[in-house]
Amino acid sequence: MSAAPRVAVGIDVGGTFTDLAALHDDGTVHTTKVLSEPADRAQGVLNALAAAALPAGQLAYLAHGTTVVTNLLLERRGARVVAGATAGFTDLLELRRQERAALYDLTRHHVPPLVPPDCIVPVRERLVPDGVLTPLGDDALTEAVDAVLALAPETVAITLLHAYGDASHEQRLAEALRAAIAARGLATDVVTSHDVLPEIREYERMATTVAEAYARPAVRRYLDGLTARLAEAGFPAPRVMTSAGGTLTAFEAAHHAAALALSGPAGGVTGAAAIARALGVPRALTIDIGGTSADVGLIDDGEPLVERGGGVAGIPIALPRVLVEAVAAGGGSLAWIDDGGAVRAGPESAGALPGPAAYGRGGTHPTVTDAHVVLGTIAAGDWNSGVHISRERAAAAVATIADPLGVSLERAAEAIIATADATMARALRRISVERGIDPRGIPLIAFGGGGPLHACGLAERLGIRQVIVPPHAGVLSAVGLALAPERRERLTSCVITAEDWSDGALATLLQDSAHDLAGGATHLEPRWWVRARYVGQGYELDVPVDPGDRVAHVVTRFAARHEARAGFTLDRPVEFISARTTLSSSPWPVRFVRPQRTGPLAADADDGRAMSRAITGDAVVRLPDATLRVARGWHARTLEIGGWLLEAQ
């Protein structure tokens, strides 16, 4: 008797919709879209599973993208954190990097740190690169433990100087704190920087450790609750997407909260990379336009570009992450008129409730979606998830912009869309031009519910002449989640110049790191990178390595990458800062094919012209889960894998 078919499921919980993608073991893809439940994100996951009607016993795994950490940082609803820092260095979070929030805007300020100064406890100890300058004595230890617990923390973050090289003081303080916490019957977590980010740069290490402590309790509560509710319905515990593009078990994810800050957006770039590989496209820009935000990314050599660091809601989190820049420009972005009489779109969003005015769920303010409905690029009538779109309601909302300006509804709608396009185009330029990449020479992969609608307008702003609208465009983030492999990561500090590092020492470091990280697992494949720089530089580049590599070859590889990125090389020694090891499972098989459309939504909004294999704009194509606009001056043709290729004429 043959085994029952197995299904990998990805669920992306967005601000407006919750998307589900089911990847069957023969590679076929089935998708479902339901409205999100803003007050209960876990219920949105359950609703999507119910709508997909998937037998629980067939699920190989369920991968989930979550915005819990992002929302905590944006809304400042995390745990009460008390931090322990080396005496004399308790002001790191306030001092930051002594740079302005905006170079030419003296009124702008950095967001406040997650831990106020009165919740940072000085610890009388001091390590220096050469060893111990001030030992952590018993009196200092007792003093620090008593001071921390007197502040009634929910979590404790310990960041002592040079713990990336010598963790002994952090370990001793953490052990003493955990013992005191247990003796008092408390349930307080202790987070140490050598576990979270064992790398140089004390500010980034402290900020990332504090972010982990700030988010961990809420992430644990959310994942514990979701796991329990899934179990009640017979479904397996979820795997959770990390910012770096892999997935962790729910248990592991609960102990790596800071690594989930870009959980949802990473799924979209992962899905877009699968499309790029299927088409043989090595490099592309990506844009995922949802109801609340637009996320832009970059694919390089067929893979999402992974970099270190970056801010989330103004908070530095210096962990590996898929390069994604989010801007507040989506279908639900509210349009308004500023004091100067200019039309603006965002950052506030109508979300799922009340949603755009056209949805008839209580929204009255105009949104980008309402502007499209007024212009006819989103058709009125019945859509996915029981949404009924009304042009009358959309027109009434857009009139609140048109009437004060004394312009027609159509002109106001065009202005709203142009404003949103300008915001997204700036993000695309930042992610490409600022990295020395000419966007005019690569395609744009546009997805999400609004990506295919805005693709031509964005491409024209950047001089891009080719746009790819992938199959399953409206739910591609969920596809990426289902495809994402199980992945474990580890950072290992190794501050040393190349001339002082032997080939054998490099191989031993890499092999030992992979062995320890595997923990006996044999189904995970290792990959390694080292962070390298010229001695004296203030930034590093990740260079792929292998245990069989000679150090001299790694230096040559670094120089080539530095020239490609910065346009020059230096006649200076090369220094290695840290090594990163990942262990990944094999990706789930996927077979992209053009779906056969049936049912009430099979007819296209442009009277059937889209059913042919080529279209010349101006035209609108109603896709199963999105809407495609082929602008005037553009030509579109269908792809064998599904989706569309648009080219400027």
Side-chain angles (χ1 to χ4, degrees):
M1 186 175 181
S2 61
R6 302 285 281 167
V7 182
V9 173
I11 301 180
D12 177 37
V13 181
T16 305
F17 289 101
T18 295
D19 301 332
L20 180 148
L23 276 58
H24 297 261
D25 51 12
D26 63 356
T28 56
V29 182
H30 292 89
T31 63
T32 304
K33 182 184 286 282
V34 300
L35 284 169
S36 293
E37 297 280 352
D40 187 354
R41 297 299 177 95
Q43 187 59 48
V45 173
L46 295 170
N47 291 347
L49 286 166
L54 290 169
Q58 290 187 9
L59 266 63
Y61 60 81
L62 190 159
H64 175 43
T66 176
T67 58
V68 168
V69 176
T70 305
N71 292 341
L72 284 174
L73 297 176
L74 285 169
E75 300 168 12
R76 295 301 178 103
R77 293 187 294 103
R80 174 179 169 80
V81 178
V82 173
T86 300
F89 292 84
T90 56
D91 296 325
L92 287 175
L93 296 180
E94 291 282 345
L95 293 174
R96 300 177 62 95
R97 283 289 168 193
Q98 297 187 341
E99 59 188 12
R100 295 176 182 169
L103 184 59
Y104 300 111
D105 185 353
L106 300 183
T107 66
R108 287 272 302 278
H109 298 282
H110 291 293
V111 300
L114 298 176
V115 180
D118 58 358
C119 285
I120 301 180
V121 172
V123 182
R124 290 189 289 117
E125 64 83 41
R126 181 71 185 275
L127 294 173
V128 293
D130 296 331
V132 179
L133 181 65
T134 303
L136 178 59
D138 292 341
D139 290 344
L141 190 66
T142 301
E143 176 186 293
V145 170
D146 290 344
V148 167
L149 295 183
L151 293 170
E154 290 182 70
T155 53
V156 179
I158 301 174
T159 310
L160 305 181
L161 283 186
H162 302 296
Y164 60 86
D166 182 352
S168 59
H169 283 188
E170 280 197 354
Q171 290 169 338
R172 188 165 179 235
L173 179 55
E175 289 169 2
L177 276 165
R178 288 177 180 129
I181 288 167
R184 300 186 188 193
L186 303 176
T188 304
D189 253 337
V190 178
V191 180
T192 57
S193 74
H194 69 271
D195 283 329
V196 175
L197 184 67
E199 278 196 337
I200 61 170
R201 294 194 176 91
E202 63 274 18
Y203 167 62
E204 286 77 8
R205 186 160 49 89
M206 185 173 188
T208 303
T209 304
V210 165
E212 172 67 32
Y214 187 78
R216 185 178 288 184
V219 168
R220 178 180 295 139
R221 286 193 298 271
Y222 171 74
L223 292 177
D224 285 350
L226 175 61
T227 299
R229 292 170 71 176
L230 286 169
E232 289 175 4
F235 292 104
R239 291 184 358 191
V240 185
M241 175 69 103
T242 69
S243 301
T247 61
L248 297 172
T249 67
F251 177 81
E252 292 170 325
H255 291 80
H256 295 82
L260 309 182
L262 294 174
S263 171
V269 187
T270 301
I275 297 295
R277 291 192 298 270
L279 294 172
V281 174
R283 176 178 280 181
L285 284 168
T286 71
I287 185 157
D288 177 5
I289 305 177
T292 305
S293 66
D295 304 318
V296 301
L298 179 65
I299 294 167
D300 192 28
D301 196 23
E303 296 286 345
L305 182 62
V306 176
E307 290 194 340
R308 302 287 184 88
V312 178
I315 303 300
I317 296 180
L319 295 172
R321 65 175 194 169
V322 171
L323 178 63
V324 174
E325 179 165 337
V327 292
S333 294
L334 298 176
W336 52 287
I337 301 173
D338 67 16
D339 293 339
V343 175
R344 306 285 295 276
E348 291 187 36
S349 173
L353 285 173
Y359 286 9
R361 294 168 60 87
T364 57
H365 297 290
T367 66
V368 173
T369 293
D370 294 313
H372 280 294
V373 174
V374 166
L375 294 176
T377 45
I378 293 180
D382 293 326
W383 280 78
N384 303 67
S385 310
V387 171
H388 179 82
I389 292 179
S390 164
R391 189 184 188 283
E392 290 73 21
R393 287 191 292 262
V398 173
T400 64
I401 298 292
D403 292 348
L405 297 177
V407 299
S408 67
L409 285 176
E410 289 73 16
R411 182 70 187 93
E414 290 169 353
I416 293 169
I417 293 169
T419 301
D421 280 354
T423 300
M424 293 183 278
R426 285 193 294 270
L428 285 165
R429 289 191 187 96
R430 285 193 295 271
I431 215 165
S432 57
V433 176
E434 291 185 7
R435 286 169 173 75
I437 296 171
D438 187 347
R440 296 172 297 182
I442 58 178
L444 173 66
I445 302 178
F447 53 99
L453 264 179
H454 291 258
C456 290
L458 292 171
E460 289 171 355
R461 287 175 178 267
L462 277 77
I464 294 173
R465 301 189 60 81
Q466 195 174 70
V467 170
I468 297 167
V469 175
H472 317 292
V475 294
L476 192 66
S477 289
V479 174
L481 289 168
L483 284 171
E486 176 188 351
R487 182 173 295 160
R488 305 176 188 176
E489 301 216 11
R490 167 172 291 181
L491 294 173
T492 306
S493 179
C494 56
V495 183
I496 189 170
T497 59
E499 60 190 23
D500 293 329
W501 209 7
S502 69
D503 298 335
L506 171 62
T508 299
L509 173 69
L510 300 180
Q511 290 169 339
D512 287 351
S513 179
H515 179 269
D516 294 343
L517 188 58
T522 59
H523 67 292
L524 304 175
E525 290 295 324
R527 293 180 68 186
W528 297 272
W529 294 260
V530 295
R531 299 204 81 192
R533 66 183 183 185
Y534 290 112
V535 171
Q537 278 187 325
Y539 64 91
E540 298 85 38
L541 296 176
D542 283 358
V543 181
V545 295
D546 187 87
D549 286 340
R550 299 177 63 86
V551 173
H553 295 162
V554 179
V555 171
T556 301
R557 202 173 300 148
F558 162 75
R561 181 158 289 205
H562 193 282
E563 184 169 23
R565 176 69 179 272
F568 64 91
T569 58
L570 296 175
D571 185 18
R572 305 193 70 171
V574 172
E575 183 178 37
F576 300 116
I577 299 303
S578 62
R580 176 165 67 101
T581 302
T582 68
L583 296 178
S584 300
S585 62
S586 300
W588 193 266
V590 63
R591 180 165 54 91
F592 294 115
V593 294
R594 173 161 290 280
Q596 298 298 314
R597 295 168 57 187
T598 60
L601 298 183
D604 293 299
D606 62 16
D607 298 324
R609 283 180 292 165
M611 299 306 288
S612 63
R613 299 191 67 79
I615 299 173
T616 298
D618 197 359
V620 174
V621 183
R622 185 163 172 176
L623 306 177
D625 43 33
T627 299
L628 165 64
R629 177 173 178 251
V630 184
R632 186 171 287 105
W634 287 78
H635 179 80
R637 61 180 175 86
T638 56
L639 294 168
E640 289 300 319
I641 67 167
W644 297 79
L645 176 66
L646 284 68
E647 296 177 297
Q649 294 180 305

